[in-house]
Amino acid sequence: MRLVLIGPPGAGKGTQAAILSQTLGVPHISTGDLFREHVTRRTPLGRDAQRYLDTGELVPDHVTGGMVRERLTQPDTRHGFLLDGFPRTVPQARQLAAILDAAECELDAVLEFTAPEEVVVTRLLERGRPDDTEDVIRHRQRVYERQTTPLLDHYSDILLSVQAVGPVDEIAQRALKGLARPI
Ligand code: ADP
């Protein structure tokens, strides 16, 4: 199964991605995690990405798209994957479409996790990652609204919205139930 997860920072995409990836048996690919690995390993890509991560801006599309293209050529993605954090812009969705066209496959569904801003901001403040200061968190929410929510229209044909407030397992069950029904 080929899935994309969308949701504001703090909606719990990463947590749900880990559960869904286990249940569905497909690799979880998080662009945020890939960037943080590059930063830790001090690769050239990590050095380019660092200042965007620190401020909550999006890393430029050509950098992100190249990194994802590379990841999707790994053999473990042949039978499916779960993309967490990509695409985040309409141009990135076009990049993904080109990658999938070249591999003659397509997305099965786009899962949107929804939660009110005050809930997600509180969760992120509790998480306390170095880029989780209140200003940066609020900025990432604005970036999400401006740059990522247009994807909801872009993917309206295969979009499945899941309310992401409540116990983690219940949210995962809602997502899995939704996926089991034809979209
Ligand atoms: P969150 O969901 O809390 O924003 P992520 O781990 O998904 O956290 O992303 C952290 C940072 O990594 C983002 O603020 C952004 O700088 C960068 N990033 C992740 N995915 C993308 C992407 N698809 N395009 C550009 N930048 C990205």
Side-chain angles (χ1 to χ4, degrees):
M1 188 170 265
R2 296 180 180 85
L3 296 177
V4 162
L5 266 47
I6 296 183
K13 279 193 313 290
T15 307
Q16 293 300 324
I19 300 176
L20 296 176
S21 141
Q22 274 264 318
T23 314
L24 302 169
V26 293
H28 169 199
I29 301 174
S30 153
T31 40
D33 287 350
L34 290 175
F35 281 129
R36 284 185 289 276
E37 268 169 44
H38 278 280
V39 169
T40 307
R41 285 172 24 226
R42 297 179 197 275
T43 67
L45 194 152
R47 277 194 290 273
D48 282 351
Q50 173 116 52
R51 62 192 163 109
Y52 299 100
L53 268 69
D54 289 346
T55 54
E57 290 295 327
L58 295 185
V59 179
D61 286 345
H62 67 278
V63 177
T64 312
M67 183 177 75
V68 172
R69 183 184 302 273
E70 220 273 323
R71 180 64 186 86
L72 290 180
T73 61
Q74 309 289 315
D76 64 329
T77 64
R78 202 170 303 146
H79 302 296
F81 52 77
L82 207 156
L83 276 174
D84 162 14
F86 183 92
R88 253 178 159 95
T89 64
V90 172
Q92 288 182 4
R94 299 214 175 91
Q95 289 177 324
L96 178 61
I99 296 170
L100 296 178
D101 276 353
E104 295 185 1
C105 54
E106 52 186 34
L107 289 177
D108 293 293
V110 172
L111 280 177
E112 176 204 12
F113 291 99
T114 63
E117 175 157 342
E118 285 320 304
V119 173
V120 298
V121 171
T122 307
R123 285 184 190 166
L124 292 174
L125 285 171
E126 285 164 2
R127 178 173 76 177
R129 210 171 62 192
D131 60 340
D132 285 339
T133 62
E134 180 146 4
D135 282 355
V136 173
I137 289 172
R138 297 261 179 213
H139 184 65
R140 293 211 304 267
Q141 303 293 329
R142 300 286 85 76
V143 170
Y144 176 77
E145 276 159 25
R146 239 187 355 254
Q147 311 222 56
T148 307
T149 55
L151 286 180
L152 303 175
D153 267 345
H154 183 89
Y155 285 128
S156 58
D157 292 356
I158 52 168
L159 187 72
L160 201 74
S161 288
V162 178
Q163 213 252 91
V165 184
V168 167
D169 294 351
E170 278 178 24
I171 299 167
Q173 286 312 316
R174 268 177 228 150
L176 287 164
K177 257 195 210 142
L179 288 173
R181 278 195 295 268
I183 294 181

